[in-house]
């Protein structure tokens, strides 16, 4: 099985955290603590909702 090269537009989790921290005027540690408080369901366990109905 071959792996495709990473997309040039993708950024790492660390880079995203730094960008969010800068945009919010917070530290990366504050962003990480806030993210840890969120309850995010893994995609494979998420409920599918039809928004067109």
């Amino acid at each position: 099985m071959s792996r495709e090269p990473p997309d040039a537009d993708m950024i790492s989790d660390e880079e995203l955290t730094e960008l969010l921290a800068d945009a919010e005027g917070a530290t990366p540690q504050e962003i990480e603590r806030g993210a840890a408080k969120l309850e995010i369901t893994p995609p494979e366990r998420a409920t599918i909702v039809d928004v067109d109905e």
Side-chain angles (χ1 to χ4, degrees):
M1 178 174 15
S2 66
R3 292 196 79 148
E4 296 180 19
D7 188 348
D9 293 335
M10 292 179 65
I11 62 173
S12 69
D13 290 344
E14 292 81 16
E15 291 171 315
L16 177 59
T17 299
E18 290 175 11
L19 288 171
L20 289 171
D22 187 47
E24 293 293 321
T27 66
Q29 293 80 14
E30 290 171 317
I31 297 298
E32 289 291 330
R33 282 192 299 269
K37 292 179 183 176
L38 297 175
E39 293 183 24
I40 301 173
T41 303
E44 61 272 4
R45 294 179 47 205
T47 302
I48 299 172
V49 178
D50 187 357
V51 296
D52 292 330
E53 288 185 1

